[in-house]
Amino acid sequence: MAKALDLYDKEEFYRCLQCAICTGSCPTAQVVDGFNPREIILRYMLYGEQEEVLADEKLWCCTTCHACQERCPHEITISGLLTHIMNLAARRGNLPRPLKENIKLMAETGWSVRATSHSDRIREQLGLKPLKRPDAAEIRSILCEAGLEEILDL
Amino acid sequence: MKISIFTGCVIPIKYPGMEVAMRYLAPRLGIELVDVKFGCCPAPIGLKVVHFDAWLALAARNLCLTEEKGLDVVTLCAGCTNTLRETNHILAQDEKKRLFVHGMLERLGKKYQGNMQIFHLPDLLSQEQMLDRLEQSIVRPLTGLKVGTHYGCHYYRPAGTMNHDSSNGQYPLPETMELILEVLGAEIVEYNRQDMCCGAALNINAGRNQESLKIAAEKLDWMNEAGVQALSVACPACFTQFDTGQLLLSRKDRNRRVIPVFHIAELVAYALGADPGVINLEAHKVKADLQVLTV
Amino acid sequence: MAGETRVSENGGLAAGEPRVGVYVCHCGLNIGGTVDCEAVALHASKLENVVYAEHQLYTCSEPGQEKIKRDIAEHNLNRIVVAACSPRMHEPTFRSCIQAAGLNQYLLEMANIREHCSWVHLHDKKEATEKAKDLVRMSVARARLLEAQEEVDIPVIQKALVIGGGVAGIQAALDLADSGYEVMLVEKEPSIGGRMAQIDKTFPTMDCSICILAPKMAEAGRHPRIKLMSLTEVTNISGYVGNFSVTVRHRARYVTSDCSACGECSEVCPQFAPNEFDIGLATRNAIYLPFAQAVPATYRIDMDLCLNRGGVRVCEKCVEACERKCIDFNDRETEESFEVGTIVVATGVDVFDAREIPQYQYGRAANVITSLEFERMINAGGPTGGNLIRPLDHQVPKSVAFLQCIGSRSSKTNPYCSNVCCMNTIKDSLLIKEHWPDTQITVFYIDIRAFGKGFEDLFQRAKMAGVQFIHGLPGEIIPLKNGNLRLVGESTLLSKLYDIEVELAILSVGLKPSTGSDLVRRFLTLSLTSGGFFMVAHPKLRPVDTSTRGVFLAGCAEGPKDIKDSVTQASAAAARANIIMRRGKVTVEAITARVDAGACTGCGACIKVCPYQAIYLDENKKAVVVEAACTGCGTCGAECQFSAITMRHFTDEQILAQIDAFTEYESDKKILAFNCNWCSYAGADFAGVSRMQYPTEVRIIRTMCSGRVSLRFVERAFARGVAMVLISGCHIGDCHYIDANTHTEKRFRRLRKIMEQNGLDPERLQLVWVSAAEGQRFQEKIAAMQSKLKTISQEEIKRGMKVFVEREKKTEQRRQKREGTNGFSTPDRKTKIPLVEAGRSR
C-alpha cells in the first residue's frame, strides 16, 4: 500500500457524532439495503473493523455524489474516505467486473468506451471528423508505472 | 476565443449529436475549438475509485496536452470537469502528489505547470459577454419551454474544490444553466431534491440497474410534480440515466409521463438555429421534439 | 520526602541585605514526580543571599504556610521565593502568608515550576530539573531586588451598571439595588424582559414564563434605586474598577412617560410591519408596545416606519387619538454620562438563523418553523392566541417533528452545544400533547441532554405521553405540495432508513452571543471563548468574574444556559460586585509607574503610548504619572529611552537580573520567552494544565503586559548569548491594556531590522500572540522555535553577543555623558544596573 491515498485527515473522523445526516442524504442508502456511510465510518475508523468493511461488495454502490460530505455538520471528508476504502478494497480483490473491464479498455485504447463501426458511421453521417485516437501506449505505460498492475493484469 | 475541447469518451461515440451541437454553437459565439488527442479524463467514478494515483497521473497528462498548446479547456461532461479541476486542485496543494506526478510526466518528456483553467460548458456560456452574444444570435427562442435543470453531482461538489458559489445565496446549487436558459427564453421550473444524484454510477459500477432506476424515478417524479416539461443536463451519464432510464421505466409503467432530456449544448445549438436533424435529436430515446415543446 | 532543612554556608549576612528563603514545593507528585525538588533546593541553598532553602510536599497547605512564617521569624528572612505552581494560582495565598508573618507582601516571588515545567516536560526529568534550577535562580535574582511597596486605596463609587435587561440583568439589578446601591440598568430594546419574555412555559416546572417574569420586571421598573434606561445603548466605557466612566445613547422614543398604555394610538396608526417580538409572525404598527407586559409600559414610535420619518408631519392620527397628549415628535436622541463602581454584563443571546442550513428549507417551506417561533405561537398572548397552527394553511397539525442541534455542535455553524434545546423540545412536546393529545410527535436527535434537576423526570413524562425519539437527523426536509414535509434519514438504533411525512417541522435552533455585545467587549477588554461568549477569570473558581477587575458576567452572555442558571449567575455576579462596593475602596496594586524627574528629559514619548492617558507633563516639563489611573502595563517604562521611568515591582533591574541569572550556564541552548500576565502567561499555564508537552529549552519571564518588554531586555539576552527570544502577548485588539501590544509589535520589528543590519539572523527573535485559551498555540510555537534553535551556529551566537555588548556599552556611554555619573542619577535609584557580563556557555 505504498502509494495508498492519504487525502483525508484521520483526526477528523473522531469528530463524528453519528448524527446520521450522511446516511440520510445518501441516494444509494435509500435504495440499497445495507449501504450506510455512517456505519462505514463507525466500523472502519472508530471500531477498527477494517477488513470486514473492505470485503463488502456493496461498497461499490457509492455514486461518489459527495452529498454526505457536503452536509456533514463537522465537514468530515466522508467521500474521501469512501474513495480511499474502495481503492483499498480493489487491492484485496474486491472489484466489480464492469470496472475491471472499463480500466482494461482504457489501457488498450486510451478511452473507456469502445468505438464500433456503427458509431463511426453515425459520426460520418452527422458530418463529424473521425475520432482522434489518443496515445494509448503512453497511457498504458503511465498506468503500469503508477502501479495499476497490483490490482489487475493489463 | 480559442479553447481546446474535451469531449470525453462517451459523447463522441454514444451521443455524437451533442458533439455536433457543440461544434455548431461554438463558432456562432466566437469560440474556436481546438481538438487535442485527449485520453479518457479518467472518470471520477471509474479509475479514481480503483487506483487514485493512476487516475491523478492520467488526468495530469491530459492537462499537459492542452497546456502544451497554451489553451484552456472546455468540457462537456460533469465527470471530466470534476476530474480535471480536482487534479489541478490536488497538484497545487499536495506536495507529495505533485512530486509523484511530475516524476512520471518528466519521464514522458512532459511538464505540468497548472496554468490553465477548466470550463464546463455552462460555466463558459454563462459568462457575461457570452450571454450577450447568445442573446444577439438567437434564431429560435425557447419561449414556452418549461425547463428544469439537473446539474450532476460532479460538476459542483465538493463545493470547495469545484469553486461553486451557491446560486441565490441560500440553496446550494449552481445557476449557470438557468442563466443560459433564461436568455434563450425558456421558463425555469424548480423541483424538489434538485440537488440529488441521478444514480448513474450505481448502475455503471455495481450493475444495480433496478436500484439505480429507483433513484432516477424519484427525481423524475419530483420533476413531474413541479410541471417540468423538459430536462436540461450537462453530463452524458446523467443523460443516459434519464433518457434511457425513462424508456425502461415507461416499459414497466405505460402511464408514466415522460420528460424529454437534453444536453445544454443541444438546447443552445437549437436556439442558435440548428435543425433537430443536424444535431441528431431523433437519437434520443424519449421523443425530444423541441418544435412542439416551444410552441 | 519533604522538609529537610538546609542552611546555606553564607549565613550571617548584614542586616538590610536581602536574606532570601527558598521553598521548593513537590505539590504531591505534580512537581515532585518530574522535578528533583531536593536537588533544586540544594542548588538554591548555594546561591548568594539565600539564607534558607527547603523542599516541601504542599507549600500552600496550612503546615506549609506555617513553616514559612516560622522561618521568617527564626531566620530573619526578608525575601521569600516559592517555587511551585503558577503565581496566577497562589501568589495571593503566599502574599497573605508572608504578610501575616510581618513581611511586606511584595517581598514574595514565585517560580512557576509546575505549569511551566513539571507538567509540560513529563518525560524529560533531567532537563526539567535543570530548568527548575534556572527558574529558581531567576526568582532569587529578582527577589534580591524586590522592595517593600505600599498599596494605595481609591474610593469606589457606590453605583453599579447592569448592561442588558433580560432575566439575568434584572436579577442582578434587583440584588444590587436591594443591597442599597444605585443601579443603572441599560437595555437596548424598548422593554426589558429579553428572551424569557418570549418563551411560553419554562422547564421543568411548566411555569408560565412571563407570569413569573413580569413581577420581577415590574419591580425593576419601580425600584427606587434602579434607573431603568430602555431604548438605550452603551457607547463608551473608560476607567477602572471603582471608577468607570460610562456614556450611553438614549434613542428617541417619541412618547413621554405620561403614556398609560391605553393603546388608542395603535388602533389608528396606518402603518404595519412584522413584530420583532413575535419573530415576524404578527404585525405591529409604527407606534407600538412590544408586548402586553412591557416595562416600561410606554409606547414608542418606530421612526423608520412612521410616515413622518422625512421630518415633515404628514400624519397625526396618533396625536389626535392620544388623551394624555404624550406623543412628542420633537424627541431626539440624547447622550448621558455617569460614573459607576462596578459593571455586570448581561447582554444575552440571539438565536441561530436556520437559513444557513438550506437543506432544512427554513425560509422556503412555510411549515418549517423554529423553536422560538413555536414559543410565540403556543403562547396564549401570542400571534395565534395559543393555537399551534401551520403557517401555510392555518390548520392544526396532526403530526409534528422536532429536529435537534440545528446550528449547534457543528464546525460549519456553532461548535458548542446550546444547552437548553433538548429540554426545550421535551417541554414543547408536552405542551402540544397537553392541548392536542392525538398529535403524533417525533423528536430527531443526536443526544438528549437532560442533566439538571427535574430534567430526567420531564424526559420520562414526554416518553410516557407518547413522544417518539429517533436517533438520527434527517438529511433534508422535502416540502410537499400540500404543505407537508417529508423527512428522510436513518434511525440508527434500528439501522433502518425512515421516510416520514409530517405536517409541521420545528427546528431546535441554537443560541449565539447577542450582536452588539462586541462593543461592550472592546470597551472592557473582555476575552471571548472559542464559541464567541465572554470568558470568565477561572472556569471553576471564578465563574462570574472577568479578568477585568470590577466587571462581572451574568446569564447567557457567558454561555448558553437555562433560566435557573441565569438567575443563579446573576445573583452571584451581584454578590461579587457587592464585595467591592461594600468595602468602599479598592486597593491599587503597587505596580504603577514612577518617573524620576532627574532623568526625565520631557520628550513625551511615554505620554504618547499610555493607553489610559495617565501621564502628563508638569510645569517643569517633567512627566508625572497619575497613580490612580495607572494600571501598571509598563509600556511607558519600555518606551523611555532615558531610563527615567521605574515600573514598581517589575523594574528594569529586576528583569535584567532574571535574564542574567538563567544565562549563567548554556545560554546558547536556551529560549527566553516574555509572557504577559493576562493572555500568553495564562495560555502557557493552560498548556501546563492540559499537560501539553513541549521542549525544555524555554525560560519564561512574566510581565504584566507585553508592552513592558523593553528592547533593552531583549538586547541583554542576546548579549548574554541566548539562542532565541520570544515575545508573546494578547492578540491585537484583545490587549488587556487596550492597545499596549501594538507598541510591542513596533519594537519587535525595530529590533529585527537592527539585527538584519548587523548581519544577525532576525529569526532568532520571534513574536506570537497567544490568548489564555490557546495553550496549543504556545506549545506549537515553542516546538517550532526549538527546531530553529538546532540550526543556530556558535558563530551566530558569538556574533550576536559581540554586537549587543557593543550596543549596551554605547548606550551606557551616552547616558554617562548626559547624567555625568557612573550609574546613579538620583537618590531614588537604589541599585546600579550592572553592564552585561558575558555568560558562560559550553
Side-chain angles (χ1 to χ4, degrees), chain A residues 15 17-26 29-31 33 36 38-39 69-75, chain C residues 359-360 409-413 415 445-447 471-476 486 488-490 492 495 497 499:
Chain A
R15 295 205 296 259
L17 298 173
Q18 293 286 295
C19 69
I21 286 180
C22 50
T23 302
S25 306
C26 176
Q30 261 188 272
V31 297
D33 213 14
N36 188 329
R38 175 198 60 81
E39 210 177 283
Q69 190 166 309
E70 293 296 281
R71 293 210 185 138
C72 174
H74 277 295
E75 300 175 294
Chain C
Q359 59 262 28
Y360 289 145
R409 305 183 73 189
S410 163
S411 54
K412 279 159 102 162
T413 56
Y445 70 96
I446 307 177
D447 291 289
H471 180 275
L473 295 186
E476 59 189 299
R486 190 163 146 225
V488 179
E490 188 204 359
T492 66
S495 278
L497 288 195
D499 190 340

Side-chain angles (χ1 to χ4, degrees), chain B residues 223-283:
Chain B
M223 290 179 218
N224 275 321
E225 189 208 56
V228 169
Q229 288 177 346
L231 179 65
S232 171
V233 300
C235 168
C238 300
F239 182 86
T240 309
Q241 183 72 345
F242 289 121
D243 189 50
T244 308
Q246 280 185 98
L247 179 70
L248 297 173
L249 286 171
S250 59
R251 275 190 196 150
K252 275 189 283 191
D253 174 8
R254 300 260 159 216
N255 295 322
R256 186 177 191 82
R257 182 171 162 263
V258 288
I259 303 171
V261 189
F262 299 93
H263 190 286
I264 185 75
E266 293 175 324
L267 289 172
V268 172
Y270 177 85
L272 293 181
D275 284 329
V278 167
I279 53 178
N280 205 17
L281 284 185
E282 53 258 22

Side-chain angles (χ1 to χ4, degrees), chain C residues 445-464:
Chain C
Y445 70 96
I446 307 177
D447 291 289
I448 293 290
R449 293 173 165 180
F451 55 89
K453 209 175 195 178
F455 290 7
E456 187 69 23
D457 291 337
L458 207 70
F459 184 27
Q460 296 266 36
R461 269 174 62 187
K463 286 185 278 186
M464 285 197 299

Side-chain angles (χ1 to χ4, degrees), chain B residues 20 24 29 31 41 45 53 60 65 73 95 114 122 146 152 154 175 177-178 193 221 224 226 255 278 280 285 294:
Chain B
V20 177
Y24 184 94
L29 296 176
I31 304 170
C41 48
I45 58 170
D53 289 337
L65 292 175
V73 190
E95 189 166 337
K146 288 208 169 83
H154 293 100
E175 58 173 359
M177 281 203 278
E178 273 83 355
R193 297 196 99 176
D221 288 343
N224 275 321
N255 295 322
V278 167
N280 205 17
K285 302 278 192 293
T294 56

Side-chain angles (χ1 to χ4, degrees), chain A:
Chain A
M1 259 204 286
K3 298 200 186 98
L5 120 85
D6 53 359
L7 277 177
Y8 66 94
D9 171 10
K10 284 194 188 57
E11 298 287 306
E12 67 181 2
F13 287 93
Y14 298 105
R15 295 205 296 259
C16 175
L17 298 173
Q18 293 286 295
C19 69
I21 286 180
C22 50
T23 302
S25 306
C26 176
T28 298
Q30 261 188 272
V31 297
V32 172
D33 213 14
F35 182 81
N36 188 329
R38 175 198 60 81
E39 210 177 283
I40 290 175
I41 296 176
L42 186 67
R43 296 174 65 204
Y44 191 87
M45 295 303 296
L46 304 177
Y47 285 176
E49 288 176 19
Q50 291 171 353
E51 291 308 315
E52 294 90 328
V53 172
L54 290 174
D56 188 357
E57 278 180 340
K58 291 200 286 296
L59 279 182
W60 300 97
C61 295
C62 173
T63 66
T64 70
C65 76
H66 299 303
C68 50
Q69 190 166 309
E70 293 296 281
R71 293 210 185 138
C72 174
H74 277 295
E75 300 175 294
I76 298 175
T77 45
I78 306 175
S79 337
L81 176 67
L82 280 162
T83 304
H84 172 87
I85 288 181
M86 286 190 270
N87 267 252
L88 291 180
R91 283 158 181 74
R92 280 161 174 65
N94 174 6
L95 177 61
R97 208 155 65 97
L99 275 173
K100 255 192 227 166
E101 300 301 322
N102 175 294
I103 295 169
K104 283 203 178 127
L105 186 58
M106 204 194 311
E108 191 190 312
T109 65
W111 278 3
S112 43
V113 179
R114 194 183 284 282
T116 60
S117 50
H118 174 77
S119 66
D120 286 338
R121 204 171 42 243
I122 305 279
R123 280 185 71 86
E124 206 188 319
Q125 283 171 2
L126 291 174
L128 287 170
K129 288 203 262 245
L131 290 170
K132 212 165 179 159
R133 297 288 176 185
D135 187 341
E138 197 174 86
I139 289 173
R140 192 205 171 85
S141 82
I142 290 185
L143 285 173
C144 290
E145 194 177 335
L148 192 59
E149 284 181 303
E150 55 184 333
I151 300 183
L152 44 88
D153 300 316
L154 291 176

